[in-house]
Amino acid sequence: MARPTEPNRLWGANGIAFGPDGRLHVAQVLGGQISAVDTTSGDVEVVVGQDGPVRTPDDVAFSAGGEMYIADIAPGRVWRRDAAGELDLVASSVRLPNGITCLGDRLFVNEMRPDGELVELFGSGAEPALLTGGLAMGNAMQIGPDGKLYYPHMRTGQVWRIAPDGGVPELAAEVGSPVAVRFDRAGTLVVFSTGPAGLITRIDLASGNRTEVVTGIGGLDNAAFDDENRMFVSSFAHGGVMQVQQDGRSREVVRRGLNGPYGIAAGRGGTVYAVDHFSLARTTDSGAVASVDVVGGGMPTFARCAAADGDGLALSTVTGEVHAYDPQRRSTRRRASGLGELTGIAVGPGGEVVVAASGSGRVLRLDESDEVQVLADGLDHPVGVAVDDAGACYVGDDRRGQVLRLDDEPVVVADGLGEPQGIAVLGDELLVIEVEHRWLRRICLRTGASTIEAEDLAVGLPPGGAEPPDGGGMTYRPPAFADLAVAPDGSVLVAANGEGSVLRLRPPPTA
């Protein structure tokens, strides 16, 4: 067994801030935890774990007294963590709190939603003080050298400022897709743009002069400057922490990895694609993760699974869409929508696309004209699908512990399995990932005989992980799904979502 990618060390990387101990603290929405990073050694320590009350930390800030404040976006809570590590709730009335910053011991939070608000919160339990409303998706913000609070409108491509005691907001700058607003130690405004290019814009507020640098770090989320004015950035798409020079050159502090992965696919040339909720990634020979595209570029929002379709990919999404994706052009064509929560996807020998509609208990097929046909309904929870060379469709139901062949009526071909998820057909054999047992099972479709091909696979929820809260969209960790695919050389690829890596099993299964 080989690993085309290494296990992930950060489950996404969102808000970052230096703490009083000199370490960079990294909030991880998808991981439900906060880690402290030594930017010299790259050592990572979890300081707020998944087993506590914080569910989806999106940003962090430190007060003058060294207390950590946490924006917990999905449940709409703001927490305070003291020096002893104790947590207490500051507010529970902020809707989708994201950007958070301190001015001395004063605390400010904004909301990542249309017509959001920017408020000051008080540890005494007093009602929040509204500074301004009308935010077009707020995010990371900071007090500038002029004493005003600078914050982005992600949706309109603007940076605004307002006095900490309120007043009339002023437009400070216009920058495409601003996700974070920061100031370096010299007082220069630095704006980070989301998307595949990794654009960083520096603006001299006195003269208005600006410089732009393209870093190639897809999915920039946040940044922090240390005492030496070194800039460190995070990526919501791939996790990891990078140190970035003013000319755009970068040093990897914590290696970027996979947030899931969820779907896995092997392209015609053997390229391994991993669908990772916020992004589509491919693995390299060195084991690194290379971004193909991220949300905000050509990727559909919240893709879940993928299947090779000629030189392209067929993608399913959590939000019920099916897309045709061209990796070379980084473009998509939406083929269907409104199908409910989708999980597995497969492409048949005639080009038809089959998807498992987990939310509705159906299996659906799209023909070349994008017409949707129901192959099966009334299933409990179909997740993985596969199509053999003759066009027969198979589906795994992880709640019933079965794999079914969809004839005129569904026929059980395997029963009593432990949470079957990813499935694939290789010749006259069926390959199944059983998440409950963390193994790969091989089943002969002619005789029904089965063997265990690999054990102790890192599939299922990560260690200490819990099912995500129902936050919707990008504010929660999607339900886990351990996919598999067969590569052109016959090796089996497994989405090891329990550690954030891809596994390649060799030698390939043989009859």
Side-chain angles (χ1 to χ4, degrees):
M1 180 167 58
R3 280 186 170 85
T5 68
E6 294 182 0
N8 202 3
R9 301 176 69 199
L10 295 171
W11 296 96
N14 301 96
I16 56 177
F18 282 98
D21 61 0
R23 295 186 296 175
L24 186 65
H25 290 68
V26 184
Q28 301 151 66
V29 170
L30 294 180
Q33 64 185 20
I34 299 172
S35 299
V37 175
D38 184 314
T39 57
T40 300
S41 66
D43 291 341
V44 178
E45 178 191 1
V46 176
V47 294
V48 177
Q50 299 170 327
D51 55 350
V54 178
R55 300 304 304 277
T56 51
D58 202 324
D59 202 0
V60 293
F62 288 89
S63 69
E67 296 173 305
M68 179 198 293
Y69 288 92
I70 305 164
D72 193 356
I73 186 167
R77 296 171 182 155
V78 177
W79 301 88
R80 176 176 52 228
R81 180 179 183 268
D82 63 22
E86 296 297 321
L87 288 161
D88 65 276
L89 187 63
V90 176
S92 59
S93 59
V94 185
R95 295 172 58 190
L96 299 181
N98 192 337
I100 187 168
T101 193
C102 294
L103 174 59
D105 288 322
R106 296 176 68 181
L107 175 65
F108 300 89
V109 177
N110 67 39
E111 298 175 328
M112 195 184 71
R113 64 181 180 90
D115 198 26
E117 295 182 343
L118 170 56
V119 299
E120 181 176 3
L121 299 179
F122 306 97
S124 63
E127 286 296 311
L130 176 65
L131 273 69
T132 186
L135 274 66
M137 305 288 285
N139 211 311
M141 59 182 179
Q142 190 173 353
I143 300 291
D146 57 1
K148 293 186 177 181
L149 186 59
Y150 287 70
Y151 56 94
H153 282 199
M154 293 176 62
R155 184 161 288 180
T156 60
Q158 299 170 323
V159 175
W160 290 77
R161 62 188 170 204
I162 192 171
D165 294 323
V168 179
E170 304 170 345
L171 179 63
E174 293 186 291
V175 179
S177 303
V179 70
V181 176
R182 289 287 180 255
F183 287 89
D184 68 11
R185 297 293 177 175
T188 301
L189 174 63
V190 187
V191 184
F192 302 82
S193 297
T194 188
L199 177 67
I200 299 176
T201 304
R202 293 177 176 268
I203 303 174
D204 184 303
L205 291 175
S207 66
N209 294 333
R210 64 172 62 194
T211 58
E212 295 182 347
V213 170
V214 174
T215 66
I217 302 172
L220 285 176
D221 191 287
N222 216 307
F225 292 85
D226 68 6
D227 291 338
E228 299 176 18
N229 206 28
R230 297 182 302 174
M231 179 171 64
F232 297 87
V233 303
S234 61
S235 166
F236 67 82
H238 301 305
V241 173
M242 308 285 286
Q243 180 187 346
V244 179
Q245 308 288 344
Q246 288 201 25
D247 60 5
R249 291 179 299 163
S250 61
R251 174 181 72 90
E252 207 163 37
V253 178
V254 178
R255 191 172 193 173
R256 287 170 286 179
L258 298 169
N259 297 315
Y262 301 95
I264 198 88
R268 181 174 288 173
T271 301
V272 178
Y273 293 99
V275 181
D276 218 31
H277 190 56
F278 290 126
S279 69
L280 177 69
R282 67 172 179 267
T283 64
T284 66
D285 292 339
S286 67
V289 175
S291 173
V292 178
D293 222 333
V294 301
V295 170
M299 271 289 289
T301 305
F302 315 134
R304 186 74 177 279
C305 283
D309 188 5
D311 292 326
L313 296 173
L315 299 176
S316 64
T317 75
V318 174
T319 53
E321 297 179 347
V322 176
H323 290 254
Y325 182 83
D326 185 335
Q328 298 301 316
R329 298 180 179 178
R330 297 171 71 165
S331 63
T332 60
R333 178 178 67 86
R334 187 171 64 183
R335 300 186 57 183
S337 62
L339 304 181
E341 181 188 345
L342 302 179
T343 307
I345 189 168
V347 177
E352 69 278 10
V353 174
V354 179
V355 292
S358 306
S360 61
R362 300 184 299 170
V363 177
L364 308 173
R365 178 168 60 191
L366 279 71
D367 62 20
E368 292 183 352
S369 62
D370 297 341
E371 291 293 323
V372 179
Q373 174 188 1
V374 178
L375 291 183
D377 61 11
L379 304 179
D380 196 348
H381 195 245
V383 287
V385 290
V387 181
D388 67 18
D389 293 338
C393 179
Y394 298 82
V395 58
D397 191 315
D398 60 352
R399 292 179 182 168
R400 294 183 180 176
Q402 297 176 331
V403 175
L404 310 169
R405 185 179 66 246
L406 302 182
D407 296 340
D408 293 335
E409 295 290 334
V411 176
V412 176
V413 297
D415 202 357
L417 305 178
E419 201 176 344
Q421 291 191 355
I423 65 173
V425 177
L426 182 60
D428 61 358
E429 295 177 330
L430 182 72
L431 305 175
V432 184
I433 293 290
E434 294 185 61
V435 172
E436 179 183 342
H437 305 304
R438 297 166 63 91
W439 62 40
L440 171 66
R441 182 186 294 273
R442 183 179 66 181
I443 302 169
C444 178
L445 293 171
R446 290 182 292 102
T447 66
S450 70
T451 57
I452 305 303
E453 288 296 314
E455 299 181 272
D456 298 322
L457 301 176
V459 294
L461 290 171
E467 287 291 349
D470 184 12
M474 64 195 302
T475 61
Y476 76 112
R477 185 177 179 89
F481 176 68
D483 200 9
L484 63 78
V486 178
D489 64 358
S491 59
V492 178
L493 301 162
V494 176
N497 56 357
E499 66 177 20
S501 76
V502 175
L503 306 177
R504 187 188 294 271
L505 305 181
R506 286 176 171 154
T510 56

